[in-house]
Amino acid sequence: MTKLYSQEVIVDAPCKTAEKWLIDRNNIITNLPFVVGIKGDEITLKFNRMGLFSYKDVFTVELGLIGRDFIEYKLKAKASLLEIMFSLSQGAKDCSIKVMLKYVGEKEWIVGKALPIIGDGMAKTIKDQIKEEQNSPFTGIDFGNLDLGKI
């Protein structure tokens, strides 16, 4: 069985800034809900349903497709696959990001209920983190104050 979910978020930043943030694997892994362990390129996810049933597995994180305004992460386990896809669309002053999730595996009746939580959590994190990055002050070198004649 396959379960799908999508959520759209609008950030007050150019899509280039959002794309740069989304391509960084650590941004995605550390902000993913249901993570109970991280070891290199492997993460452990644990899903619960009704407090009685749970599914815990180790997923290998791979950066899949990267195309024009599209980024995909594949989280692969032995018997399941969780894909997290981001589609970007530049507006006049903002960037619209569609977060799409697809789960294929034997425990879809458990993980399927968690997809909205993952999608909403990722959308909120993206909106908060990209806004912070956009508003953070630039700490680079100011070449305007250099007296190049003394070199």
Side-chain angles (χ1 to χ4, degrees):
M1 290 291 289
T2 301
K3 287 288 185 179
L4 303 169
Y5 180 80
S6 69
Q7 168 76 22
E8 190 165 355
V9 62
I10 297 175
V11 294
D12 295 327
C15 280
K16 293 285 183 192
T17 304
E19 183 177 27
K20 181 181 172 186
W21 190 89
L22 290 169
I23 287 178
D24 187 353
R25 181 185 311 223
N26 290 329
N27 290 335
I28 303 302
I29 292 173
T30 57
N31 293 300
L32 192 64
F34 302 107
V35 173
V36 294
I38 299 174
K39 184 178 181 185
D41 284 345
E42 295 182 340
I43 61 172
T44 305
L45 298 175
K46 184 176 181 181
F47 303 97
N48 291 311
R49 182 157 182 201
M50 297 183 289
L52 298 172
F53 306 103
S54 67
Y55 170 59
K56 182 177 177 182
D57 208 345
V58 177
F59 292 83
T60 304
V61 180
E62 296 177 5
L63 188 58
L65 296 172
I66 299 178
R68 180 165 165 79
D69 302 328
F70 188 80
I71 300 163
E72 176 188 45
Y73 286 91
K74 292 184 179 186
L75 282 67
K76 296 180 180 179
K78 291 178 184 175
S80 59
L81 172 68
L82 176 63
E83 292 179 306
I84 305 171
M85 298 158 280
F86 304 98
S87 176
L88 294 86
S89 177
Q90 183 67 50
K93 293 183 180 180
D94 52 17
C95 181
S96 174
I97 303 170
K98 190 167 188 176
V99 180
M100 298 166 284
L101 300 160
K102 177 182 172 185
Y103 178 79
V104 179
E106 59 185 27
K107 302 289 185 177
E108 65 89 24
W109 61 278
I110 295 174
V111 180
K113 294 291 183 182
L115 291 183
I117 297 168
I118 296 171
D120 294 343
M122 290 301 297
K124 183 183 180 319
T125 301
I126 289 168
K127 189 169 184 122
D128 294 343
Q129 294 288 324
I130 293 176
K131 181 187 278 188
E132 286 177 13
E133 187 172 309
Q134 180 75 7
N135 293 333
S136 65
F138 178 70
T139 58
I141 301 171
D142 184 12
F143 291 108
N145 293 333
L146 293 178
D147 187 6
L148 298 177
K150 293 184 179 180
I151 295 178

